[in-house]
Amino acid sequence: MTDAELIAILLRTGTKGTSVIELAQTIIQKYNNLSALAMESIESIKKSHGIGKDKAATLAAAFEISRRVESQSKWFSNKKITSPNDIAEIFMPLFRDEVKEKFLVICLNSANKIIRYEIISVGSLNSSVVHAREVFKVAIENNSANIILLHNHPSGNEEPSSEDIQVTKRLVEAGKILEINVFDHIIIAGNKFTSFVEKKII
């Protein structure tokens, strides 16, 4: 998609006599390019013909989200994982007040730095919703040397269930076949966490 088309999606509507694509193109031309527009304040964007408070706020919010994602990505790329504590420090805040159980795959490069993480399941952790093909698809797409499995227990009980252990061992075996090391599996439970490696489960 072009820059104008992306901006048009955010704007949603044009103005009388001007289509949303034309309006988007006009805005980009006014600021010379998309990068320059992204640096503008809501008040500045509002001065553009056809842009009111709501459209300006939508654009500013979209750019702010992009900045935060980029910032987080840069932080991840510089963070070397040396222990389960490192993972807990990063991910505990994401699960604060979470009422659903979520299963994540965290991809690491050969230097054990986080490349990316992806939520692959929301709901109960069991063999019917967490499949090896989903876990390792993420790992392969990101050229991961190692992966860390992580899920939360909204109940606050950090102890792994027999089902948690069964699923994890199955994924560890699949990883051996694919030559992708399952570095650890961590359960986040409120302000507590459990490492399967520290418990010698894997």
Side-chain angles (χ1 to χ4, degrees):
M1 298 181 78
T2 65
D3 290 350
E5 286 170 329
L6 290 171
I7 295 297
I9 289 170
L10 294 172
L11 296 176
R12 297 178 64 184
T13 59
T15 60
K16 190 174 181 180
T18 305
S19 73
V20 67
I21 289 286
E22 290 168 336
L23 179 59
Q25 287 171 333
T26 300
I27 293 167
I28 291 172
Q29 287 165 2
K30 177 180 177 180
Y31 293 100
N32 297 321
N33 55 50
L34 195 56
S35 297
L37 173 60
M39 300 304 292
E40 293 298 325
S41 67
I42 292 176
E43 290 305 314
S44 174
I45 297 170
K46 269 172 52 180
K47 292 177 183 174
S48 301
H49 177 70
I51 300 295
K53 183 179 179 181
D54 290 347
K55 282 187 169 73
T58 298
L59 289 174
F63 293 131
E64 179 59 22
I65 289 169
S66 177
R67 277 192 289 273
R68 291 184 187 188
V69 168
E70 183 181 9
S71 174
Q72 186 182 61
S73 176
K74 285 178 180 175
W75 187 84
F76 275 167
S77 66
N78 292 320
K79 181 73 172 173
K80 185 171 183 178
I81 302 304
T82 59
S83 73
N85 287 321
D86 294 333
I87 291 294
E89 178 190 333
I90 296 167
F91 290 93
M92 255 183 199
L94 298 180
F95 289 105
R96 196 166 287 127
D97 303 321
E98 180 59 64
V99 296
K100 290 185 177 179
E101 193 166 305
K102 294 182 178 179
F103 189 97
L104 282 68
V105 177
I106 303 165
C107 299
L108 307 176
N109 62 18
S110 57
N112 281 344
K113 292 184 177 181
I114 297 177
I115 304 167
R116 181 171 178 219
Y117 72 90
E118 188 168 317
I119 298 170
I120 63 165
S121 175
V122 178
S124 299
L125 172 62
N126 59 57
S127 56
S128 65
V129 294
V130 180
H131 299 289
R133 64 178 174 272
E134 295 168 325
V135 170
F136 291 103
K137 178 177 181 285
V138 175
I140 290 166
E141 285 175 348
N142 289 280
N143 199 27
S144 306
N146 303 298
I147 60 171
I148 294 174
L149 310 173
L150 182 145
H151 80 282
N152 64 312
H153 280 178
S155 66
N157 176 14
E158 78 271 30
E159 290 303 313
S161 67
S162 58
E163 198 170 58
D164 294 337
I165 294 168
Q166 180 186 353
V167 169
T168 302
K169 287 183 174 179
R170 183 169 49 81
L171 292 173
V172 168
E173 289 306 309
K176 287 176 182 176
I177 294 168
L178 294 168
E179 298 183 341
I180 298 173
N181 179 46
V182 177
F183 197 67
D184 202 347
H185 185 164
I186 294 171
I187 296 173
I188 301 283
N191 294 321
K192 301 171 288 185
F193 71 92
T194 294
S195 158
F196 282 45
V197 166
E198 287 184 345
K199 279 191 165 283
K200 297 185 171 28
I201 295 172
I202 57 173

